[in-house]
Each structure stands twice: as structure tokens, then as C-alpha cells.
Amino acid sequence: MNDNFTEDLLFRLTNSCKSSALYAYVAEAVTKHFKSMHYLSSTLICDCVLANLAFNEQITPQSADEIITCFRRKHKSLYTTVAEVYKYIADDFDDYAQSVLCADYNSVRAINMPTANYIVYVISVDIKSNRKFDRREPFISAFGYEYFFDDVT
């Protein structure tokens, strides 16, 4: 996790970088694999995946826990909303997860992650392994280059 991570920074980043290339790619992946007609759950999953990719160098089953906890504090229905949508797409999403996680699939499922965490993890792994991106890009899109030079005097 990024040393500068705060809840305020998380929400400022996800609210401000909707026009970034990475956010567009994440939104496309979520639309393709999560297939939710429920706007809030799709948006929350997009925001969580984007934050997971931006704040975490390594994507692990636990890497998004703190991010998802922050979103859950703000949106109390995160887990129930996502779980409700997931039950209609579970088979398709599990097939997708198997293709992404390969040999790690069974060990990841054995962890019994909450549904939202599982979805964020699988989509994050897929994007991280299939797309080259600069983790700084969402920060630059949201705050400009000055964000990286605030400590320089």
C-alpha cells in the first residue's frame, strides 16, 4: 500500500480521475466481466479496482482490503449490493476468474473473500497482467504533476 494512503486521498483520486485512460480501461473490464445493470455497484467496483491498481505495487487477495473498507464506510450497502448482482453472473465470472488466476484459482476461492473483494481482486489481476500502465497516471489525471513535487523544495 502506498505510504501516502488516506481515506481523503482515496476519494479525491477516484472522484477526480474519471477521465483518465486507466479509469476508462477499468470501466471497460468491469462492464465486460461484472455485467451489472446496477449503476452503483458497477461504479463502486470500478473505483475499488482503480484504487487497488493505483495504490498497490503488488496485487494480492488482501491488497484491496483497506480500500474496500473505506468504500464500505461511505457506502454501507457495498457488500450486499455487489453480492446481489453477483449471484446472477456467478458462473460466468467464475469461468473468467479461472482463466485469469489459473493455478491460483482454488487457493483464492478457499480464502472465502467477500464477493466485492473477490471481484476487485480478479479484475485487478487481469488488468495488471494484461496492460502496461503507469500507476501515477490516475494521480496525474486527478491532481496534476504538482502532486509528485509537493515535497520538493
Side-chain angles (χ1 to χ4, degrees):
M1 181 68 71
N2 185 316
D3 292 338
N4 298 327
F5 177 82
T6 64
E7 196 166 317
D8 177 57
L9 179 60
L10 170 69
F11 292 121
R12 284 179 45 218
L13 176 75
T14 56
N15 290 332
S16 301
C17 74
K18 303 289 188 200
S19 63
S20 73
L22 181 58
Y23 190 87
Y25 191 79
V26 168
E28 179 186 343
V30 169
T31 301
K32 182 177 179 183
H33 300 295
F34 185 55
K35 298 177 186 148
S36 173
M37 296 302 288
H38 191 273
Y39 178 76
L40 179 61
S41 62
S42 292
T43 302
L44 290 172
I45 292 293
C46 281
D47 289 349
C48 290
V49 169
L50 177 87
N52 195 27
L53 293 168
F55 284 107
N56 294 304
E57 183 76 34
Q58 298 289 353
I59 304 299
T60 67
Q62 295 77 25
S63 64
D65 286 354
E66 189 175 355
I67 291 165
I68 292 173
T69 299
C70 291
F71 275 100
R72 188 164 177 237
R73 273 196 290 273
K74 189 171 182 177
H75 303 281
K76 304 276 188 246
S77 65
L78 172 66
Y79 282 150
T80 55
T81 304
V82 171
E84 185 65 29
V85 170
Y86 179 75
K87 65 184 175 184
Y88 298 106
I89 61 157
D91 292 338
D92 289 340
F93 194 85
D94 279 341
D95 291 343
Y96 163 64
Q98 284 178 331
S99 70
V100 170
L101 301 175
C102 302
D104 294 336
Y105 174 78
N106 289 327
S107 61
V108 168
R109 289 307 280 165
I111 297 172
N112 284 330
M113 288 189 274
T115 304
N117 296 46
Y118 172 62
I119 292 168
V120 168
Y121 173 67
V122 171
I123 294 174
S124 296
V125 167
D126 185 27
I127 292 172
K128 178 94 174 172
S129 63
N130 290 317
R131 184 172 190 276
K132 298 270 188 230
F133 62 90
D134 185 348
R135 287 179 46 230
R136 297 173 298 178
E137 192 255 344
F139 293 96
I140 294 168
S141 176
F143 310 119
Y145 286 99
E146 296 80 28
Y147 175 80
F148 296 101
F149 300 112
D150 282 346
D151 296 335
V152 178
T153 54

